[in-house]
Amino acid sequence: MDKEVKQHITDPALQTAPQEPAAVEPAEKPTRGRAKYNKFALISIVLTVGAWIALSFEGKIALAISVVAFICGCIGLKSSTRTWRNTAVTSLVASAVLMVVLTAFLIVIFVGLNSL
């Protein structure tokens, strides 16, 4: 029995080489799936500019457009590049300012003046 144990230890066919870990490929950045959100950032900035232009003609329509632009800007924050995310943030700020000013105007002025 001693011979069998020694033979088992010294026999190269029975010895197992340590397993090397498999080469791990680096994970690719998932930019392809996030590129679809670039459109929302572009749409939001166009709608925000449109809302500011519409403000010259009709306040309620400008408010509605700015709400849609704000929603598109929120979706556009998931864009693939920093430039598009900055565009979405700019649109968010501009449309939020328009919403706050118009809402304050519509509530305070119209409700205030109609109650007198």
Side-chain angles (χ1 to χ4, degrees):
M1 184 150 163
D2 237 1
K3 266 187 174 180
E4 288 177 10
V5 172
K6 283 184 179 179
Q7 183 183 11
H8 180 67
I9 293 173
T10 58
D11 190 10
L14 296 176
Q15 292 179 355
T16 57
Q19 296 282 335
E20 291 184 19
V24 178
E25 295 180 17
E28 293 183 19
K29 290 177 104 178
T31 57
R32 190 74 177 147
R34 295 179 68 156
K36 62 183 176 183
Y37 296 108
N38 296 348
K39 296 174 199 160
F40 285 101
L42 179 63
I43 290 169
S44 69
I45 198 74
V46 169
L47 285 175
T48 301
V49 170
W52 279 97
I53 292 171
L55 181 61
S56 306
F57 306 107
E58 181 64 37
K60 293 177 185 175
I61 292 174
L63 181 63
I65 294 172
S66 67
V67 168
V68 173
F70 188 83
I71 293 170
C72 287
C74 289
I75 297 170
L77 287 174
K78 296 171 86 175
S79 297
S80 60
T81 61
R82 185 177 187 149
T83 305
W84 286 111
R85 285 190 299 266
N86 288 346
T87 302
V89 168
T90 303
S91 172
L92 283 173
V93 170
S95 62
V97 166
L98 186 61
M99 283 189 303
V100 167
V101 169
L102 280 175
T103 304
F105 176 76
L106 291 173
I107 291 173
V108 172
I109 302 299
F110 283 152
V111 172
L113 289 177
N114 287 335
S115 66
L116 293 176

